[in-house]
């Protein structure tokens, strides 16, 4: 005798749940796109694409020789590059709402102990990425451009191209934003059982070497930017090791907690 009140399995031959998931995914993508579009419209009015690019370029312009300015070698670059900057800034401002849409779509399929892990990781990874970008803009750029201009021969008039500068800035932002995600990677690896906290402590020396190698590869060939990336990565690794032990206990499944309780008894 079958139970008429038994909930139907989503994978038991019915297509409706899958279609409903696609509809929900579409709706959340639309909401996220609207949020980015709204931020883009606001930034396009104030402060405007040109002002945003001037703000982005200010660390470099401050260290150019007197009378030197940036140039545009492409006809449409003065129009296109500021728009790209505005779109990027709009995405950054809308990122918390975009990540909320991702979380709202994924959360119903997670267990309660998984939600306790995922939500803090989403928030911390977002904040760490923004901190990495801000650290790069406010500290690293000034030191790097000062160092580079100090080595420029007197016979050279520095006049960087705006598209080349945008490409450089984007690569640096991504590099530092990703590097500041080290604690999140460490916590996830430990929680998934790929490595133990004790092993992470043992591998501290190896990670320091890896951090300096990564910094040497993805940053400009100057000591300042390499140290500015490698040293925070080492500090954040230690933070990740400390946080991993806490999150492992905080996000345990009920059966894991019961098993540990029986072991202690």
């Amino acid at each position: 005798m079958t139970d008429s009140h038994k909930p139907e399995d989503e994978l038991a031959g019915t297509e409706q749940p899958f279609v409903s998931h696609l509809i929900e995914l579409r709706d959340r993508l639309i909401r996220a796109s609207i949020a980015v579009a709204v931020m883009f419209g606001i930034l396009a009015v104030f402060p405007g694409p040109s002002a945003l690019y001037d703000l982005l370029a200010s660390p470099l312009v401050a260290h150019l020789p007197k009378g030197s300015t940036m140039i545009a070698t492409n006809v449409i670059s003065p129009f296109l590059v500021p728009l790209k900057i505005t779109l990027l800034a709009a995405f950054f401002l809308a990122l918390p709402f975009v990540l909320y849409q991702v979380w709202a779509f994924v959360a119903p399929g997670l267990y309660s102990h998984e939600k306790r892990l995922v939500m803090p990781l989403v928030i911390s990874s977002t904040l760490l990425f923004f901190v990495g970008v801000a650290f790069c803009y406010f500290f690293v750029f000034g030191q790097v451009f000062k160092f580079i201009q100090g080595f420029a021969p007197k016979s050279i008039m520095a006049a960087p191209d705006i598209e080349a500068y945008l490409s450089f800035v984007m690569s640096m932002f991504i590099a530092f934003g990703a590097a500041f995600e080290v604690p999140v990677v460490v916590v996830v690896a430990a929680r998934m059982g790929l490595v133990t906290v004790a092993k992470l402590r043992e591998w501290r020396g190896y990670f320091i070497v890896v951090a300096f190698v990564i910094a040497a590869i993805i940053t400009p060939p100057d000591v300042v930017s390499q140290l500015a990336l490698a040293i925070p990565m080492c500090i954040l690794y230690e933070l990740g090791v400390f946080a991993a032990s806490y999150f492992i206990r905080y996000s345990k499944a009920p059966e894991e907690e019961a098993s540990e309780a029986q072991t202690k008894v």
Side-chain angles (χ1 to χ4, degrees):
M1 194 173 173
T2 59
D3 185 2
S4 59
H5 297 289
K6 184 179 180 180
E8 187 174 5
D9 188 356
E10 289 192 2
L11 301 179
T14 176
E15 296 182 2
Q16 184 59 35
F18 178 72
V19 173
S20 65
H21 289 327
L22 287 180
I23 293 174
E24 183 183 1
L25 177 61
R26 180 203 63 187
D27 292 342
R28 297 200 177 278
L29 287 174
I30 291 174
R31 292 172 191 168
S33 300
I34 291 175
V36 175
V38 170
M39 289 294 103
F40 180 85
I42 294 173
L43 293 175
V45 174
F46 180 82
S50 298
L52 282 175
Y53 189 86
D54 290 339
L55 180 64
L56 186 68
S58 60
L60 174 61
V61 173
H63 293 90
L64 288 177
K66 187 176 181 181
S68 179
T69 61
M70 301 180 70
I71 62 172
T73 57
N74 194 312
V75 176
I76 62 173
S77 291
F79 170 76
L80 203 57
V81 172
L83 285 182
K84 291 179 180 179
I85 295 298
T86 307
L87 182 60
L88 176 65
F91 178 76
F92 278 170
L93 291 178
L95 187 58
F97 183 79
V98 172
L99 291 177
Y100 171 78
Q101 295 301 318
V102 175
W103 166 252
F105 178 75
V106 174
L110 300 177
Y111 293 107
S112 58
H113 67 279
E114 292 173 332
K115 292 180 182 180
R116 292 200 300 266
L117 174 66
V118 173
M119 192 57 178
L121 289 180
V122 169
I123 295 174
S124 60
S125 61
T126 304
L127 292 177
L128 285 171
F129 184 84
F130 283 146
V131 170
V133 171
F135 177 76
C136 181
Y137 177 81
F138 289 105
F139 176 75
V140 177
F141 280 171
Q143 301 301 319
V144 168
F145 297 146
K146 181 180 178 181
F147 180 84
I148 292 174
Q149 292 302 320
F151 276 84
K154 301 293 183 181
S155 58
I156 295 178
M157 174 62 76
D161 177 61
I162 61 174
E163 285 192 88
Y165 178 71
L166 174 61
S167 177
F168 171 80
V169 166
M170 287 301 303
S171 62
M172 290 290 285
F173 279 171
I174 293 173
F176 276 82
F180 272 60
E181 299 293 337
V182 168
V184 176
V185 175
V186 170
V187 169
V188 172
R191 183 62 189 89
M192 293 179 64
L194 300 178
V195 64
T196 63
V197 176
K199 278 292 182 183
L200 289 171
R201 294 194 179 100
E202 291 179 12
W203 293 347
R204 181 181 292 114
Y206 297 107
F207 181 82
I208 293 174
V209 176
V210 171
F212 276 90
V213 171
I214 293 175
I217 294 174
I218 65 178
T219 59
D222 65 276
V223 178
V224 176
S225 59
Q226 292 174 10
L227 290 176
L229 181 61
I231 293 176
M233 285 181 66
C234 296
I235 296 174
L236 290 169
Y237 180 82
E238 295 296 329
L239 178 62
V241 173
F242 174 77
S245 57
Y246 170 75
F247 273 104
I248 289 175
R249 296 193 303 268
Y250 180 71
S251 60
K252 282 181 179 178
E255 55 270 19
E256 292 178 335
E257 295 177 350
S259 175
E260 284 191 0
Q262 291 178 357
T263 302
K264 291 179 180 179
V265 172

